[in-house]
Amino acid sequence: MQFLRLYVVVFLNLQCFLDVFGQQYHTRRNVADLHWKPATATWYGSPEGDGSDGGACGYGSLVNMKPLKARVGAVSPVLFKNGEGCGACYKVRCLDKSICSERAVTIIVTDESPAGGCCSNGNTHFDLSGAAFGHMAISGENGQLRNRGEIPIIYRRTPCKYPGKNIAFHINEGSTDHWLSILVEFEDGDGDVGSMHIREAGGTEWLEMNHLWGANWFVSRGALKGPFSVKLTALSSGRTLSARDVIPRNWAPKATYTSRLNFIN
C-alpha cells in the first residue's frame, strides 16, 4: 500500500513539473531499426563538400551548419514520402570490404533525389554529400570510393541526436495573423513529422495544420492570436510532443522559437 502511495506521489509530481514547464511528451515505440536493408548510393556536390544547399525539405542554410553540416542526404521518393520523411536519420554502410570500412555514416534527410534512374520503380536510394560518401571508405581510399559512382549499400533507421539542441519552431517568411507556416528543426528521436496542431492563447481547441511542402506546415483561418502552443506527432512512431505557449504573442516571421524539452530517445 505504501509503495502504491509513493508511486502516485511521484506521478503527480511529474505531471506538475510538465505543467509548470509547459511541455508534454508521450512515447509509443522506438524508431531504431536493428535490421539492415539493401539499397544503392551515389554522391553529389564537391568531393569533400557538405552536399545540399538548402534542399527540398526547406531547412535552408541549416544544412551548411553543424549539426547538419556534411551529414545531409537526398533520398528516393519511397523514403522522402512527399516531404513527411524530412528530418529522419539513417545509418548507411557500403559493402565492398576491399575499399569500405565497417563504420556506418549517419545522415539526415534534407532533400529528395530526382525521380527516375536509380530512384525509379520504388527503389531505395541515397544521394549523399561527398564528405559523407567518402567517410564510408577505409583510410586513404575516400577518393577511390567516390570514383565508383553508384555503389550497393545497406541502411537502417536510427534515432536522430542533437546534443545541446532543443526542438525549434521556425516561423516561415510570409506568415500573417491569418496564414501561419512553421518549419520544425532539431527534432530528436524520430526526426520526421506526421501531423502538427497549434492552440491559440486561452483556447481549448487544437487546430490541425496542413502539410505544405518538405518539412513545412501551415494553418489558414480567421485572425490567429498568440501565444501559440504547438503539438506535433512523429510520422514513424506516433510519439507526440506538446509545447505550451512556445510561440510568443509578439511572434515575427523568420524568427525561431525553442522549447525546453525534446523527444526522449
Side-chain angles (χ1 to χ4, degrees), residues 135-244:
H135 187 70
M136 294 187 292
I138 59 178
S139 180
E141 298 295 335
N142 309 53
Q144 291 299 317
L145 182 61
R146 282 190 289 265
N147 287 342
R148 295 196 176 186
E150 182 180 337
I151 62 171
I153 57 101
I154 53 176
Y155 75 98
R156 65 179 176 89
R157 190 74 181 272
T158 190
C160 298
K161 297 178 181 179
Y162 300 109
K165 291 283 187 181
N166 291 324
I167 196 167
F169 303 97
H170 177 79
I171 308 299
N172 288 319
E173 186 175 7
S175 290
T176 69
D177 292 338
H178 297 269
W179 188 86
L180 178 64
S181 177
I182 299 175
L183 170 73
V184 180
E185 302 170 347
F186 307 122
E187 180 195 338
D188 270 351
D190 292 21
D192 55 16
V193 178
S195 67
M196 280 187 65
H197 296 74
I198 65 167
R199 187 174 62 198
E200 297 178 86
T204 57
E205 178 188 4
W206 284 103
L207 307 176
E208 184 176 4
M209 302 190 76
N210 299 297
H211 183 226
L212 185 59
W213 63 275
N216 298 280
W217 296 74
F218 81 98
V219 62
S220 178
R221 57 179 293 153
L224 296 164
K225 297 180 181 179
F228 299 111
S229 300
V230 178
K231 179 173 68 174
L232 64 85
T233 302
L235 176 68
S236 301
S237 69
R239 296 190 301 174
T240 63
L241 176 87
S242 300
R244 190 174 65 192

Side-chain angles (χ1 to χ4, degrees), residues 4-234:
L4 179 59
R5 287 175 182 156
L6 177 61
Y7 175 82
V8 171
V9 169
V10 171
F11 177 78
L12 291 175
N13 284 339
L14 176 60
Q15 287 294 104
C16 180
F17 171 83
L18 293 176
D19 288 340
V20 168
F21 285 95
Q23 318 291 327
Q24 294 181 345
Y25 51 83
H26 307 277
T27 301
R28 291 188 181 180
R29 60 180 181 273
N30 200 321
V31 73
D33 186 355
L34 300 180
H35 302 288
W36 293 91
K37 302 172 184 176
T40 54
T42 50
W43 63 279
Y44 67 112
S46 59
E48 296 292 340
D50 301 333
S52 175
D53 182 13
C57 288
Y59 295 125
S61 60
L62 285 179
V63 301
N64 299 317
M65 299 182 289
K66 291 183 177 180
L68 272 65
K69 182 180 176 68
R71 300 174 61 201
V72 303
V75 293
S76 54
V78 69
L79 294 182
F80 190 71
K81 302 172 184 175
N82 293 319
E84 291 187 350
C86 289
C89 296
Y90 294 90
K91 287 188 178 295
V92 178
R93 182 160 63 91
C94 60
L95 299 172
D96 187 343
K97 294 183 179 180
S98 68
I99 196 170
C100 299
S101 69
E102 293 187 0
R103 67 174 178 265
V105 60
T106 300
I107 67 100
I108 304 157
V109 175
T110 61
D111 204 352
E112 182 179 24
S113 294
C118 50
C119 296
S120 61
N121 300 319
N123 292 333
T124 303
H125 182 77
F126 291 82
D127 202 10
L128 308 180
S129 69
F133 195 92
H135 187 70
M136 294 187 292
I138 59 178
S139 180
E141 298 295 335
N142 309 53
Q144 291 299 317
L145 182 61
R146 282 190 289 265
N147 287 342
R148 295 196 176 186
E150 182 180 337
I151 62 171
I153 57 101
I154 53 176
Y155 75 98
R156 65 179 176 89
R157 190 74 181 272
T158 190
C160 298
K161 297 178 181 179
Y162 300 109
K165 291 283 187 181
N166 291 324
I167 196 167
F169 303 97
H170 177 79
I171 308 299
N172 288 319
E173 186 175 7
S175 290
T176 69
D177 292 338
H178 297 269
W179 188 86
L180 178 64
S181 177
I182 299 175
L183 170 73
V184 180
E185 302 170 347
F186 307 122
E187 180 195 338
D188 270 351
D190 292 21
D192 55 16
V193 178
S195 67
M196 280 187 65
H197 296 74
I198 65 167
R199 187 174 62 198
E200 297 178 86
T204 57
E205 178 188 4
W206 284 103
L207 307 176
E208 184 176 4
M209 302 190 76
N210 299 297
H211 183 226
L212 185 59
W213 63 275
N216 298 280
W217 296 74
F218 81 98
V219 62
S220 178
R221 57 179 293 153
L224 296 164
K225 297 180 181 179
F228 299 111
S229 300
V230 178
K231 179 173 68 174
L232 64 85
T233 302

